[in-house]
């Protein structure tokens, strides 16, 4: 699956989580190649844990990475990453792509909590995250973008996030920033000089009857009920550390699962 | 090509006298006038005077969100579900004259929620002497000025003073203190308005809002006739 | 019908409630992010390429005849802030009233029956354009222009900004309005075959957060 072509590297990682029938979750599929590497880590209770290991740096220009995660009925999976992913300029021309496809069946639960994505100067990355959830699936996703390493201008980063519950989109958003992005991305309507931006999506069936109350945490973060059984935290901050604190504070403000 | 007859009888678009279900809608009376002239106090007094005999509700148009509505709620002149505030984006006269869509929606929502209603009072945000209500929004309008605002206001005229269906000169009890000449105000108003009625009132007197309430009853009688 | 109908629909005096909304400008002014013509220009540029593009795509798609119910759901998914969803439906309802009175049409009547409390404004705008005999390009231009004209006229009131400076802000955005309208129409045509997922979904974090901050104020001049 790791095919090196003139246009860059294509790489695919796949995870399937299955209820093992003994109160735990097994991982019948855990495949990865080249730059993407998956490691199973110690499970907690019924939840399997997987770490996405950055065997190489993140996608370079022309690279196309794909990660597919599927949680079958009743299984529980938590996926994190060992370190931040850095999008770098590559020798090959053109944008790099990073596609994440997640699918959670009824009574399944997925926590998708990677570390930050850092957009280094000169890089050009298009990230798509598409999530399909069954009506009773439970889901948490964190997405954090850091524009440039310390003291550095960002690269170009475009990220589209789509979350569907029972086939119905509850969230569909695209944020484009960096040089070459449509104008105004760093202006007062969009980021206003903030160098870290993040979202936390939380989907729970019980939110359909009892949506979270809309709240704000200062001027830099909001917690809102989406049009569906889901809540969204949106946050901007000067840096990655303060962004993480805001997201964690917002997550802690949600009703306990 | 029309699939139904909605256009032959415009359904609750603006001034139409009937609701989509064919019933007669409530009479809508607007109250306008300069800041501080006593519009909200007059609305509150009218609610107290009429609430036992009529099904009524109030729409306020505030400059800042909801402050007049909150005054009426605090005074408990009507149950809270009968008071709605329209936000006007710093242009209260626009919301009652040039773009009445939010006010029409507020009136309809009140009729849907607590109707059927006999009367809806639409209070404008305190504005200047030129603000008048669109005929698409109200059936009749009251313009409220006060003696403390200067006894030359009736002489100066302006659309509110000249054309309102009823001119109310409020706070007559203050006239001796602010040096306003009520006789002169009455003569000037007569000159500006010809046969249109003028009421001088003090909400602190025993009569209070009685004359205005009587005028409202007469309007309603004509509306339902 | 005539192309000039676009002037009627896009006129700031078209009585559809826009005057009471600031398009996020009131929150940005209070936070100090808009303080004059230059920062207003950058605000409008950012709004145009995010919320403006998204609205223009929805309007163009509605003008092309894509199912308004699907478009309204797509608009919900593209509007995470509940304060903005409420504002969009309020404005949609007001626009529908004005459009039905101006250009009576069975499609607008049907939309009113489907959404008695209002559909998202850009969806209504697209159908209003259709009722006025206009096409997807016109609808996209109208939505894109509204995304910047609303905050601009609000800022004139909020900051007592020189109206000539404000108008120049809008004029300078004209080439970008063209590009946004083009992108929106291209995506809308794609959505005819591929479904509403093909529509733009541009988002602006500070518009979303600012809308919730604004909705929590006890006292404000604008509804959104």
């Amino acid at each position: 699956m790791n095919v090196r072509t003139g246009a860059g590297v294509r790489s695919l990682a796949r995870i399937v989580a299955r209820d093992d029938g003994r109160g735990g979750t097994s991982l019948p599929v855990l495949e990865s190649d080249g730059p993407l590497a998956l490691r199973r880590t110690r499970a907690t209770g019924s939840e399997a844990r997987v770490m996405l290991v950055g065997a190489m740096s993140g996608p370079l220009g022309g690279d196309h990475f794909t990660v597919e995660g599927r949680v079958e009925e009743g299984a529980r999976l938590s996926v994190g990453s060992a370190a931040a992913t850095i999008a770098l300029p590559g020798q090959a021309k053109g944008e790099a792509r990073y596609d994440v496809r997640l699918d959670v069946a009824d009574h399944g639960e997925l926590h998708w909590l990677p570390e930050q994505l850092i957009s280094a100067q000169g890089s050009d990355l298009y990230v798509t995250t598409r999530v399909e959830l069954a009506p009773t699936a439970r889901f948490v996703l964190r997405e954090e973008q850091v524009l440039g390493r310390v003291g550095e201008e960002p690269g170009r980063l475009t990220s589209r996030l789509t979350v569907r519950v029972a086939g119905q989109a509850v969230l569909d958003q695209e944020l484009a920033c960096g040089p070459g992005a449509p104008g105004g991305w760093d202006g007062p309507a969009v980021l206003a000089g903030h160098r870290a931006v993040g979202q936390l999506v939380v989907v729970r069936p019980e939110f359909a009857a009892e949506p979270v109350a809309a709240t704000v945490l200062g001027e830099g973060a909001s917690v809102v009920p989406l049009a569906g059984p889901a809540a969204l935290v949106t946050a901007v901050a000067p840096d990655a550390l303060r962004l993480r604190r805001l997201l964690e504070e917002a997550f802690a403000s949600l009703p306990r699962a | 090509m029309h699939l139904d007859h909605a256009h032959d009888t415009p359904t609750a678009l603006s001034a139409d006298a009937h609701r989509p279900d064919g019933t007669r809608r409530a009479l809508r009376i607007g109250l306008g006038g300069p800041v501080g002239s006593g519009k909200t106090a007059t609305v509150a007094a009218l609610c107290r005077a009429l609430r036992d005999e009529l099904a009524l509700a109030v729409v306020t148009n505030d400059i800042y969100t909801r402050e007049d509505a909150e005054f009426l709620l605090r005074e408990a002149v009507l149950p809270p579900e009968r008071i709605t505030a329209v936000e006007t984006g710093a242009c209260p006269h626009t919301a009652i004259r040039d773009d009445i869509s939010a006010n029409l929606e507020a009136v309809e929502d009140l009729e849907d929620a607590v109707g059927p209603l006999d009367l809806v009072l639409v209070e404008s945000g305190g504005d200047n002497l030129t603000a008048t209500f669109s005929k698409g929004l109200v059936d009749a309008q009251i313009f409220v000025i006060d003696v403390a605002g200067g006894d030359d206001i009736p002489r100066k005229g302006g659309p509110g003073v000249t054309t309102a269906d009823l001119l109310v000169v409020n706070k007559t009890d203050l006239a001796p203190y602010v040096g306003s000449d009520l006789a002169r105000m009455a003569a000037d108003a007569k000159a500006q308005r010809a046969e249109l009625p003028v009421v001088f009132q003090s909400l602190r007197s025993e009569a209070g809002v009685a004359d205005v309430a009587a005028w409202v009853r007469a309007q309603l009688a004509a509306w339902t006739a | 019908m005539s192309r000039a109908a676009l002037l009627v629909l896009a006129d700031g005096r078209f009585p559809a409630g826009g005057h009471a909304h600031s398009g996020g400008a009131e929150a940005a002014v209070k936070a100090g992010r808009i303080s004059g013509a230059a920062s207003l220009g950058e605000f409008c540029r950012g709004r145009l390429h995010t919320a403006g593009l998204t609205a223009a795509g929805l309007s163009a798609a509605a003008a092309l005849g894509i199912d308004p119910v699907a478009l309204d759901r797509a608009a919900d998914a593209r509007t995470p802030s509940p304060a903005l969803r409420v504002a969009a439906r309020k404005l949609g309802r007001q626009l529908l009233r004005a459009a039905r009175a101006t250009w009576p049409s069975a499609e607008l009547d049907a939309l009113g029956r489907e959404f008695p409390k209002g559909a998202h404004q850009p969806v209504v705008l697209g159908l209003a354009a259709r009722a006025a005999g206009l096409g997807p390009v016109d609808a996209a231009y109208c939505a894109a222009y509204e995304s910047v004209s609303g905050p601009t006229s609000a800022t004139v009131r909020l900051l007592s900004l020189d109206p000539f400076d404000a108008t120049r802000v809008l004029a300078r955005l004209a080439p970008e309005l063209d590009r946004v309208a083009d992108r929106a129409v291209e995506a809308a045509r794609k959505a005819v075959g591929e479904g509403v997922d093909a529509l733009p979904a541009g988002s602006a974090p500070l518009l979303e957060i600012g809308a919730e901050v604004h909705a929590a104020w006890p006292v404000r001049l604008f509804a959104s």
Side-chain angles (χ1 to χ4, degrees):
Chain A
M1 279 178 284
N2 177 9
V3 182
R4 183 166 288 279
T5 67
V9 176
R10 299 180 70 83
S11 176
L12 173 67
R14 290 172 63 222
I15 313 168
V16 175
R18 185 170 292 164
D19 179 359
D20 68 6
R22 304 185 306 272
T25 294
S26 64
L27 299 174
V29 177
L30 190 68
E31 301 171 352
S32 54
D33 60 4
L36 291 171
L38 297 171
R39 300 280 179 268
R40 181 166 194 162
T41 60
R42 193 167 52 87
T44 49
S46 59
E47 180 187 77
R49 295 194 153 199
V50 170
M51 196 67 89
L52 202 52
V53 181
M56 284 167 56
S57 66
L60 310 180
D63 290 355
H64 188 164
F65 291 6
T66 305
V67 180
E68 294 174 3
R70 186 152 60 87
V71 175
E72 297 184 347
E73 193 163 335
R76 297 183 63 208
L77 173 68
S78 176
V79 178
S81 66
T85 301
I86 305 180
L88 292 165
Q91 289 177 332
K93 290 274 178 224
E95 69 176 16
R97 283 197 61 135
Y98 200 134
D99 296 322
V100 178
R101 302 283 174 266
L102 306 174
D103 198 320
V104 185
D106 272 318
H107 306 291
E109 179 160 1
L110 173 62
H111 290 203
W112 192 262
L113 304 168
E115 294 302 304
Q116 298 84 359
L117 173 61
I118 302 171
S119 169
Q121 188 166 13
S123 66
D124 184 0
L125 177 63
Y126 185 47
V127 183
T128 68
T129 305
R130 283 223 301 266
V131 183
E132 297 276 351
L133 303 173
T136 60
R138 303 172 74 80
F139 180 69
V140 179
L141 175 142
R142 181 180 64 213
E143 186 182 78
E144 296 164 305
Q145 288 146 5
V146 180
L147 307 183
R149 290 169 294 198
V150 177
E152 177 189 67
E153 288 300 304
R156 178 171 181 174
L157 178 61
T158 305
S159 174
R160 179 129 178 191
L161 171 60
T162 311
V163 179
R164 296 166 176 285
V165 178
Q168 181 61 54
V170 298
L171 179 66
D172 194 348
Q173 282 200 298
E174 183 168 291
L175 178 63
C177 34
W185 65 269
D186 204 19
V190 188
L191 291 178
H194 291 94
R195 281 294 168 265
V197 52
Q199 310 205 89
L200 196 65
V201 185
V202 181
V203 182
R204 295 177 191 160
E206 59 266 30
F207 284 161
E210 284 181 59
V212 300
T215 50
V216 290
L217 304 172
E219 295 273 325
S222 62
V223 183
V224 296
L226 297 176
L232 176 74
V233 181
T234 302
V236 295
D239 56 49
L241 189 65
R242 277 178 277 189
L243 176 67
R244 178 64 64 88
R245 276 199 212 125
L246 267 178
L247 292 177
E248 282 181 351
E249 188 189 338
F251 187 69
S253 77
L254 296 177
R256 294 183 75 88
Chain B
M1 183 189 74
H2 295 157
L3 297 179
D4 58 30
H5 299 290
H7 318 308
D8 305 325
T9 51
T11 52
L13 283 172
S14 57
D16 189 51
H18 293 87
R19 290 164 44 73
D21 63 6
T23 58
R24 179 179 289 272
R25 64 162 170 79
L27 176 70
R28 305 194 291 242
I29 293 183
L31 288 99
V35 174
S37 62
K39 292 182 298 299
T40 309
T42 301
V43 167
L46 278 174
C47 288
R48 289 193 192 98
L50 299 170
R51 65 191 175 194
D52 293 334
E53 56 190 280
L54 299 177
L56 77 150
V58 175
V59 177
T60 64
N61 283 261
D62 289 332
I63 303 178
Y64 278 103
T65 315
R66 296 193 60 85
E67 56 192 6
D68 287 343
E70 269 154 23
F71 173 83
L72 296 172
L73 289 169
R74 267 199 313 278
E75 294 286 300
V77 296
L78 287 179
E81 66 274 15
R82 288 174 180 265
I83 302 171
T84 293
V86 166
E87 294 171 298
T88 61
C91 282
H93 57 273
T94 304
I96 61 163
R97 186 184 59 203
D98 309 281
D99 182 350
I100 57 176
S101 54
N103 268 293
L104 288 170
E105 237 109 82
V107 171
E108 285 176 14
D109 283 349
L110 281 168
E111 294 201 75
D112 285 346
V114 297
L117 294 170
D118 301 310
L119 173 67
V120 178
L121 300 174
V122 183
E123 185 194 338
S124 84
D127 211 307
N128 55 39
L129 295 173
T130 64
T132 51
F133 285 85
S134 163
K135 289 188 169 69
L137 176 60
V138 300
D139 304 297
Q141 50 192 305
I142 301 173
F143 200 73
V144 182
I145 61 174
D146 73 315
V147 301
D151 61 5
D152 55 348
I153 288 180
R155 183 176 54 79
K156 285 180 179 166
V161 166
T162 310
T163 65
D165 299 288
L166 177 67
L167 177 69
V168 174
V169 181
N170 201 17
K171 306 185 193 176
T172 51
D173 52 312
L174 296 182
Y177 307 105
V178 297
S180 285
D181 180 344
L182 294 180
R184 181 182 147 198
M185 291 181 88
D188 289 342
K190 173 82 182 159
Q192 291 282 355
R193 296 172 52 77
E195 297 308 310
L196 288 169
V198 182
V199 165
F200 284 75
Q201 77 172 11
S202 162
L203 293 173
R204 293 180 179 183
S205 74
E206 201 172 315
V209 80
D211 287 350
V212 178
W215 180 86
V216 169
R217 283 189 199 96
Q219 297 295 310
L220 193 61
W223 172 251
T224 50
Chain C
M1 291 259 187
S2 125
R3 189 74 182 269
L6 176 58
L7 300 176
V8 178
L9 184 59
D11 190 334
R13 287 165 295 187
F14 193 74
H19 69 96
H21 295 257
S22 80
E26 187 172 24
V29 164
K30 177 87 176 287
R33 293 196 297 270
I34 298 178
S35 56
S39 46
L40 171 65
E42 274 306 287
F43 178 90
C44 287
R45 181 168 283 115
R47 188 165 196 257
L48 171 65
H49 289 290
T50 55
L53 174 65
T54 302
L58 289 163
S59 290
L64 281 168
I66 294 181
D67 175 22
V69 174
L71 290 173
D72 190 73
R73 286 182 181 157
D76 259 352
R78 286 157 174 75
T79 316
S81 156
L84 292 181
R85 291 199 295 273
V86 167
R89 289 189 185 283
K90 238 186 216 175
L91 285 169
R93 185 179 170 195
Q94 289 173 251
L95 175 58
L96 183 64
R97 174 190 297 275
R100 286 173 75 186
T102 312
W103 298 288
S105 109
E107 279 184 351
L108 292 177
D109 294 344
L111 188 70
R113 283 191 297 271
E114 182 73 39
F115 295 99
K117 295 294 174 190
H120 277 262
Q121 194 268 2
V123 180
V124 182
L125 182 61
L127 283 178
R130 228 169 123 82
L134 298 165
V137 177
D138 305 303
Y141 265 99
C142 205
Y145 181 65
E146 277 181 6
S147 78
V148 292
S149 63
T152 299
S153 64
T155 303
V156 168
R157 286 181 243 166
L158 289 162
L159 288 179
S160 303
L161 194 68
D162 182 335
F164 299 117
D165 289 342
T167 303
R168 199 161 53 234
V169 162
L170 292 176
R172 283 187 179 158
L173 286 170
E176 287 175 72
L177 278 158
D178 291 340
R179 285 200 291 278
V180 164
D182 283 350
R183 271 187 76 184
V185 172
E186 193 187 329
R189 292 198 195 284
K190 219 168 132 189
V192 172
E194 295 177 18
V196 297
D197 288 356
L199 293 173
S203 71
L206 282 172
L207 286 180
E208 298 288 334
I209 298 165
E212 292 303 319
V213 171
H214 184 265
W217 294 353
V219 169
R220 55 182 185 251
L221 279 173
F222 289 87
S224 75

